[in-house]
Amino acid sequence: MTRFNLALRLLWRDSRSGELTILVLALIIAVTSSTAISLFADRLQRTMTTQAAEFLAADLVIASPTLIPETWLAKADQLNLAQAQTVEFSSVLMENDELLLAGVKSVSDLYPLRGYLKTTTSDYLAETSVDKGPEPGTAWVDKRILSALKLNLGDALTVGEKKLTVSRIITYEPDKRGDFYSFSPRVMISRQDLKATGVIQPGSHVHYFFQFSGDSKALSQFNRWIKPRLNPSQRLMDIHEDRPELGSALSRAERYLGLSSIVVILIAGVAIAMATRRYTERHFNTTAILRCLGCKQREVLWLYSCQFVVLGMLASAAGCLLGWFAQEALFHLLRGLLPAQVANPGLLAVFFGFITGMVILLGFALPPILRLKQVSPLRVLRRDLEPLPSSAWLIYGLSIGLVSVLIWRYTDDVKMTATIIGVGLAALLLLGLLVYAVLTMSRRLLPHMSLIWRFGLQGLFRNSRASVSQILAFSLTLVAMVLSFTVRTDLLDNWHKQLPEQAPNHFALNIFPDQQPAFQQELEQQQIAGSRFYPVVRGRLVEINQTPVQQVVSKDTQGENATHRELSLTWSNDLPEDNKITTGRWWQSERAGLVSVEQKLAKSLKIKVGDRLTFTVGSEQFEATVSSLRDLQWDTMKPNFYMIFSPGTLDGYPSTFITSFYLPEDRKNLLNDLIKKFPSTTILEVDLILQQFKTILTQLTAAINYLLYFALLAGFTVLFAAVYSTLDDRIYDGALMRTLGANRAFLRKTHLIEFTLLGLISGLLAILISEIILYTLYTQVMHMDYVPNIYLWGIMPLIGALFVGLAGYWGVRGVVNKSPLLVLREL
């Protein structure tokens, strides 16, 4: 306790004298930023997961072609899970001598368990949100059903053998899926009217959806209990696979939130390392006295480590509190864009912020502290006796390992973690050696410069190692800012490019080959913008390298879902514009027998280039060799395919065509004309899905913009920590120069020249490092197109020179006012 009391007394003395100001400030900002981002990301992801659950109208959904056993429902009751059921099927409606194929959906009383329905009785501006479906005896319909069947609200609509009163128009349906029943014009009825319709008979093609919601632990328990009992035709629905256009957006947003956390961690580590270095250098003399008074090396190390642990706990606690308020303020600013119900802050995220602060502090502060135990007692007599540098490679390796674990924890992506750490360290090492070499060779220019420039550059050359460390610190800070800003901009631009204002909002299926030219001509005459027409053959994947696919696929994977149903197979001579080859080659000539596979499905089924796949179409089989794997964007609202074959492979099999096109709301009546001219064609409307996706995009865009500010705030900490790390040497040099006749204006100019050059060099290195990391991230991790940003090459060095120059000038402004006599007396 005596040594602990001594540690507290020394800590209190240093805090009163201002020795710890920069260090505490750096740690508090680091913990505040990381805690705020951790809390914000945790709440946003849980909110988005809840909102994503609204797109399924429940927390957990079982899709089945038949009714599920009563014991399953009893198990859900036992776990206190709320339950709802929906049944979807196709039915031909006939009213006023008009025919229309519609998707009928019957819903139970508690539907929807998550989210809400929107309906109206007049126009879309007067829509009302409701939390339950239609009453028995009534039907809610899509607006197009009224125009197609010449009906008005209040009229009777016959579904099968049951007459229902059309009471409302559906404008929003949370769980509208990407299948035939959901995209067809909707009729929603009560579950109590389903039997009276008489539509469902033995052998009818029907989809049942059993929906559950409740406590997360109960849901997890039910999930584990139900999975082994599902048969191959039943499955648990998931937002990432059943709504890939939404799952893709959420996955990319989660990656960016992780990247923002990485940025703050790296910047905070640099700031703390530089602040601790100055702290330890100012305590060499104190440590020498302690050694003279009998303190052993391990006692010195324990003394200072104890101080840093106490300091870290206090600063981390303060940072966690400020981080809590910061994320609350952020959610308040975004309240108009986020869902009405936002997830509550999680204490685990706060605790993780506290642990992050301690890990960053000890990981980056321990190497400089190790030098203190090397201080010799002789330093009391010889002030120039510096302690030997500790072999800190092991400690720095440990700190990098700890940071890597934190990065992995934030991103849950080993590949991204390895990319950031590996590429960053390699680039820093190589560029550090390059900068050191350039500074060494640049000494020859000093005799040819004016006096002010000579002294300004001398500040860089006098201690090349310190200058290199400062340049690398500034570079790392600027790299973090460039990465945060560039990825944010490119991510949002990429989203908007994939989803322009006139993104396709309708799909046309089952276009017969002899009708395809006429259908295309009709779209052109009506000036309707559409995508290309793709031929479609329905088939199944049955074998991989002559091994039945059921022996290869894992349960509850994308591959299992794909192999238990027919796939839409197509062929093309050219690679679709939104597809990108990741492995293998696209065919250069019309050679039959080749297939290109979507890469996520290929990973799930362990398919590689060169494998032989066997398909069945009807009663016939054929084989194809995998020539390439493709990455594709599901959120473009254009036709996408798991399998694309080379021309000639599917010749002889019956096919139809599919396309997508954009049609504004005020021209919806043209759909009825298309159906009449091409009665065999099915028109699917995806307006609501498009609206849902744009809503998520708007929310994520706003959140990403605000997250950028946290990274910038942490970045400025490094600037001042780096400046103050050399403040003592500058005070001595300034006193010596003023003693020799230099005035204050001369010193200010030399400082401005030195820091501006530091910033200029740091800006050049930052843009070089960031371009290397961006290229690796985009091409290997985020699967985005990489385009070098020419403007940043011109702007970043200027920004570095401006910010580092001003920060340095401001930080050392007091140096020129120090009395030379007082400074020299203290030596």
Side-chain angles (χ1 to χ4, degrees), residues 235-298:
R235 61 190 177 91
L236 294 175
M237 298 185 66
D238 177 77
I239 187 67
H240 290 274
E241 292 184 10
D242 294 282
R243 297 295 297 278
E245 75 287 344
L246 298 172
S248 175
L250 290 174
S251 296
R252 293 188 190 183
E254 289 167 2
R255 284 173 179 252
Y256 181 83
L257 294 176
L259 182 61
S260 297
S261 303
I262 291 171
V263 166
V264 174
I265 289 174
L266 293 178
I267 294 176
V270 173
I272 291 171
M274 301 195 79
T276 308
R277 177 184 171 186
R278 178 176 186 251
Y279 172 84
T280 54
E281 288 176 350
R282 291 175 65 87
H283 282 72
F284 286 161
N285 295 338
T286 303
T287 305
I289 294 174
L290 290 174
R291 292 294 308 280
C292 291
L293 295 176
C295 278
K296 299 179 180 179
Q297 284 186 331
R298 66 174 181 273

Side-chain angles (χ1 to χ4, degrees), residues 35-47 50 320-332 338 341-353 409:
T35 303
I37 288 181
S38 179
L39 273 171
F40 182 83
D42 176 66
R43 291 184 69 184
L44 184 64
Q45 289 173 359
R46 287 191 290 120
T47 299
T50 303
C320 287
L321 183 62
L322 292 175
W324 181 289
F325 287 115
Q327 60 86 26
E328 284 288 350
L330 183 56
F331 273 103
H332 180 73
L338 293 172
Q341 296 295 326
V342 178
N344 294 322
L347 292 178
L348 185 61
V350 178
F351 176 74
F352 184 74
R409 162 62 178 80

Side-chain angles (χ1 to χ4, degrees), residues 89-152:
F89 56 90
S90 293
S91 181
V92 176
L93 306 178
M94 184 172 63
E95 298 290 343
N96 301 316
D97 297 326
E98 299 288 346
L99 293 173
L100 182 65
L101 181 64
V104 181
K105 180 177 183 176
S106 75
V107 300
S108 60
D109 293 339
L110 293 181
Y111 170 86
L113 296 175
R114 296 289 187 192
Y116 49 86
L117 294 159
K118 286 185 179 181
T119 63
T120 183
T121 55
S122 54
D123 55 37
Y124 284 87
L125 297 178
E127 62 184 7
T128 304
S129 298
V130 293
D131 57 3
K132 63 182 300 185
E135 297 291 333
T138 64
W140 296 352
V141 300
D142 281 346
K143 189 175 182 181
R144 188 157 73 88
I145 286 184
L146 297 181
S147 59
L149 300 180
K150 301 177 181 178
L151 294 174
N152 296 308

Side-chain angles (χ1 to χ4, degrees), residues 550-564:
Q550 288 77 14
Q551 298 180 17
V552 178
V553 68
S554 302
K555 190 172 178 59
D556 299 321
T557 63
Q558 183 179 9
E560 185 188 37
N561 295 335
T563 54
H564 284 145

Side-chain angles (χ1 to χ4, degrees), residues 651-757:
D651 288 354
Y653 296 108
S655 64
T656 58
F657 281 85
I658 180 176
T659 189
S660 62
F661 57 88
Y662 171 76
L663 192 65
E665 181 66 33
D666 57 0
R667 301 186 67 192
K668 285 282 189 178
N669 289 334
L670 289 176
L671 296 178
N672 297 327
D673 297 334
L674 280 174
I675 292 296
K676 289 180 180 180
K677 290 182 180 180
F678 305 95
S680 62
T681 299
T682 303
I683 305 294
L684 307 181
E685 302 178 62
V686 294
D687 302 70
L688 295 182
I689 286 184
L690 206 57
Q691 180 182 351
Q692 290 171 341
F693 180 71
K694 286 185 175 180
T695 299
I696 280 191
L697 179 59
T698 302
Q699 295 168 358
L700 294 176
T701 299
I704 284 172
N705 285 335
Y706 283 104
L707 282 177
L708 179 64
Y709 301 144
F710 287 106
L712 295 177
L713 179 64
F716 283 111
T717 312
V718 175
L719 298 182
F720 288 102
V723 170
Y724 280 95
S725 66
T726 60
L727 193 60
D728 295 326
D729 291 337
R730 294 182 187 281
I731 290 175
Y732 171 75
D733 292 343
L736 188 60
M737 291 179 66
R738 289 189 63 195
T739 302
L740 296 175
N743 55 33
R744 290 186 175 92
F746 181 85
L747 292 179
R748 291 193 183 100
K749 290 178 181 178
T750 58
H751 290 158
L752 187 60
I753 289 173
E754 178 183 351
F755 283 105
T756 301
L757 287 175

Side-chain angles (χ1 to χ4, degrees), residues 288-573:
I289 294 174
L290 290 174
R291 292 294 308 280
C292 291
L293 295 176
C295 278
K296 299 179 180 179
Q297 284 186 331
R298 66 174 181 273
E299 292 174 333
V300 169
L301 183 61
W302 185 93
L303 192 65
Y304 285 105
S305 298
C306 186
Q307 293 181 55
F308 271 74
V309 169
V310 174
L311 181 68
M313 294 179 66
L314 294 175
S316 296
C320 287
L321 183 62
L322 292 175
W324 181 289
F325 287 115
Q327 60 86 26
E328 284 288 350
L330 183 56
F331 273 103
H332 180 73
L333 291 172
L334 297 177
R335 65 186 182 279
L337 294 172
L338 293 172
Q341 296 295 326
V342 178
N344 294 322
L347 292 178
L348 185 61
V350 178
F351 176 74
F352 184 74
F354 181 87
I355 295 299
T356 298
M358 295 299 296
V359 169
I360 292 174
L361 175 65
L362 297 180
F364 284 91
L366 195 56
I369 292 177
L370 288 178
R371 291 193 70 190
L372 290 174
K373 78 169 188 175
Q374 304 289 343
V375 173
S376 171
L378 288 176
R379 184 178 169 86
V380 173
L381 301 176
R382 292 182 56 188
R383 295 295 180 91
D384 60 335
L385 189 62
E386 294 283 338
L388 294 174
S390 59
S391 56
W393 286 106
L394 179 63
I395 303 300
Y396 276 125
L398 176 62
S399 64
I400 292 172
L402 293 174
V403 170
S404 299
V405 171
L406 291 175
I407 294 173
W408 172 79
R409 162 62 178 80
Y410 273 115
T411 62
D412 195 24
D413 191 323
V414 175
K415 194 172 183 179
M416 179 180 282
T417 303
T419 299
I420 294 292
I421 296 295
V423 176
L425 288 178
L428 282 175
L429 178 61
L430 292 175
L431 294 175
L433 295 174
L434 178 63
V435 171
Y436 184 79
V438 170
L439 290 179
T440 302
M441 290 186 295
S442 299
R443 292 176 181 271
R444 302 174 183 176
L445 300 176
L446 288 179
H448 307 288
M449 294 184 176
S450 63
L451 186 63
I452 292 179
W453 276 90
R454 192 182 308 165
F455 274 91
L457 290 174
Q458 190 66 42
L460 293 176
F461 301 147
R462 186 181 302 112
N463 191 343
S464 298
R465 291 185 179 180
S467 298
V468 169
S469 65
Q470 281 189 321
I471 289 173
L472 293 181
F474 292 142
S475 298
L476 187 61
T477 303
L478 294 174
V479 165
M481 293 180 179
V482 170
L483 285 178
S484 185
F485 176 80
T486 305
V487 174
R488 161 220 174 253
T489 303
D490 290 346
L491 190 64
L492 298 181
D493 289 346
N494 188 269
W495 275 339
H496 287 296
K497 285 178 182 177
Q498 292 171 11
L499 202 65
E501 285 298 321
Q502 296 189 356
N505 59 357
H506 295 80
F507 282 82
L509 310 178
N510 300 326
I511 305 171
F512 290 129
D514 59 334
Q515 295 178 334
Q516 187 267 331
F519 193 95
Q520 185 172 0
Q521 184 179 4
E522 182 71 19
L523 293 181
E524 292 173 354
Q525 289 178 352
Q526 298 294 340
Q527 296 182 341
I528 298 175
S531 65
R532 61 183 286 189
F533 284 75
Y534 290 92
V536 174
V537 173
R538 303 292 293 175
R540 286 178 179 268
L541 173 64
V542 293
E543 291 181 353
I544 301 175
N545 294 326
Q546 299 182 346
T547 302
V549 70
Q550 288 77 14
Q551 298 180 17
V552 178
V553 68
S554 302
K555 190 172 178 59
D556 299 321
T557 63
Q558 183 179 9
E560 185 188 37
N561 295 335
T563 54
H564 284 145
R565 61 183 174 87
E566 287 189 327
L567 299 174
S568 294
L569 313 178
T570 190
W571 67 87
S572 176
N573 193 39

